[in-house]
Amino acid sequence: MSMRNRLLAASHYPLRLAMRIGQPLGLTSSNALRVLLYHDIVPRDRARFAAHIRWLARSWTFVSIEQFAAMVSGETPVRGRNVFLTFDDGFASNRVVAEEILTPLGIRALFFVVSDFVSQVDRESAREFIAHRIHPGSRVAEMPAHLYNMGWSDLEALLEQGHSVGAHTQTHPRLSAIASDLERGREIVQSADTLATRLGVPIEHFAYPFGDVASFSADALAMARGRFRFVYSGLRGDNGTGVSPFALRRESVAANDPPAVVDALIEGLADFRYAKARHQLDEWARPRSSC
Ligand SMILES: [Zn+2]
């Protein structure tokens, strides 16, 4: 277990106890809307992923994309402890866990995909794309054999099962490093239009690559809010307290994290570390005054 996991797991039970005691006194809120963010699910971790879902289902309600959208938009109040499931990048393992674990349980997830990655037609070129674009700095030879992309037919199968697809740019760039409006438009707007045309569904949800505040910008958010109804970051935090639909928070977790760690993260144990970044994102997402 890593030091991060040891620290989180050690503080898990005191935290739960404090929250249970605090709730009747009105010290903590019993209402929450959290979004989990997974990436690739390694085949040997499938059982662990299923254990996460079972563990969470004991005290959290998995919400659909429609329920999530209604809560974030303020159309329905956030009552109880709600969690929404998302996956980034579009790895082939995502379809497997959707079909084997989520669909049978009636849990519907949102899959953010990179349009050029979806278009890769063989595994070797997909692995090169991962090494150069999704995990820049890594080497193709380091990529495990199971790591490649979902193609268009995989996304169609997910949609048929009631899951949803969101946009995650065309080539997975760091959007803050793009100075040209034309290039930014290709990554944010045109890639989503490509998904919508190829899949025949509206694409209203967008997650920017890498998820940290240094990888996004005011210009990129302004363009995204003109094309999408919802913009997701990788910053930890609750979405149940009037958060802008253009500054959504997510809990990044891995399938091999112990359930106690996932639980500690979703309870907000690490939220404080992201306060400054959330503030920056909220500033960018503030409604512009019309003048
Ligand atoms: Zn990504």
Side-chain angles (χ1 to χ4, degrees), residues 8 13 16 24 59 83 88 155 173 187 210 213 233 279-280:
L8 286 168
Y13 291 106
R16 289 298 290 270
S59 48
V83 59
D88 277 13
L155 300 183
E187 294 287 352
F210 304 106
V213 80
S233 71
H279 180 71
Q280 174 66 80

Side-chain angles (χ1 to χ4, degrees), residues 25-43:
L25 301 174
L27 300 178
T28 60
S29 170
S30 57
N31 299 324
L33 180 58
R34 294 270 172 171
V35 182
L36 285 185
L37 161 57
Y38 286 92
H39 292 86
D40 172 52
I41 309 290
V42 180

Side-chain angles (χ1 to χ4, degrees), residues 36 38 51-60 62 262-263 266:
L36 285 185
Y38 286 92
H52 282 188
I53 301 298
R54 285 195 302 272
W55 172 280
L56 288 164
R58 282 160 46 176
S59 48
W60 291 80
F62 283 93
V262 179
D263 207 40
I266 203 172

Side-chain angles (χ1 to χ4, degrees), residues 217-268:
S217 68
D219 288 342
L221 194 147
M223 185 174 277
R225 74 187 298 158
R227 170 61 182 76
F228 302 97
R229 290 180 60 208
F230 304 93
V231 176
Y232 298 69
S233 71
L235 306 178
R236 298 187 189 282
D238 185 24
N239 296 291
T241 52
V243 168
S244 163
F246 303 112
L248 296 170
R249 294 74 154 107
R250 293 191 292 171
E251 309 303 322
S252 182
V253 288
N256 63 359
D257 282 337
V261 170
V262 179
D263 207 40
L265 290 171
I266 203 172
E267 295 287 2

Side-chain angles (χ1 to χ4, degrees), residues 28-230:
T28 60
S29 170
S30 57
N31 299 324
L33 180 58
R34 294 270 172 171
V35 182
L36 285 185
L37 161 57
Y38 286 92
H39 292 86
D40 172 52
I41 309 290
V42 180
R44 67 169 180 275
D45 289 336
R46 255 175 236 155
R48 291 181 177 192
F49 175 77
H52 282 188
I53 301 298
R54 285 195 302 272
W55 172 280
L56 288 164
R58 282 160 46 176
S59 48
W60 291 80
T61 302
F62 283 93
V63 295
S64 68
I65 194 166
E66 292 84 8
Q67 291 168 317
F68 178 76
M71 287 183 196
V72 164
S73 308
E75 290 160 21
T76 57
V78 177
R79 293 218 175 92
R81 290 143 60 82
N82 305 280
V83 59
F84 180 49
L85 204 50
T86 68
F87 293 78
D88 277 13
D89 300 331
F91 292 110
S93 63
N94 291 176
R95 179 180 173 181
V96 179
V97 297
E99 281 182 352
E100 292 183 1
I101 299 165
L102 302 177
T103 305
L105 291 170
I107 296 171
R108 293 190 288 147
L110 169 59
F111 296 84
F112 287 106
V113 300
V114 180
S115 57
D116 273 7
F117 189 43
V118 181
S119 298
Q120 299 297 316
V121 290
D122 63 74
R123 293 188 185 183
E124 201 45 44
S125 66
R127 288 153 60 80
E128 279 173 23
F129 190 97
I130 296 165
H132 296 141
R133 306 297 316 171
I134 296 178
H135 298 305
S138 56
R139 294 183 308 138
V140 179
E142 292 169 355
M143 297 292 130
H146 77 273
L147 211 56
Y148 56 95
N149 59 313
M150 286 194 284
W152 296 107
S153 60
D154 295 308
L155 300 183
E156 284 162 5
L158 290 177
L159 291 172
E160 274 171 30
Q161 292 168 49
H163 300 290
S164 303
V165 172
H168 194 46
T169 73
Q170 180 186 352
T171 67
H172 207 268
R174 205 170 290 284
L175 289 172
S176 52
I178 296 179
S180 132
D181 262 355
L182 199 66
E183 196 182 336
R184 205 182 287 127
R186 217 166 31 229
E187 294 287 352
I188 296 173
V189 178
Q190 286 169 32
S191 69
D193 293 346
T194 300
L195 294 176
T197 304
R198 285 294 298 257
L199 297 170
V201 293
I203 300 292
E204 300 180 323
H205 299 249
F206 174 72
Y208 65 85
F210 304 106
D212 60 318
V213 80
S215 298
F216 206 31
S217 68
D219 288 342
L221 194 147
M223 185 174 277
R225 74 187 298 158
R227 170 61 182 76
F228 302 97
R229 290 180 60 208
F230 304 93

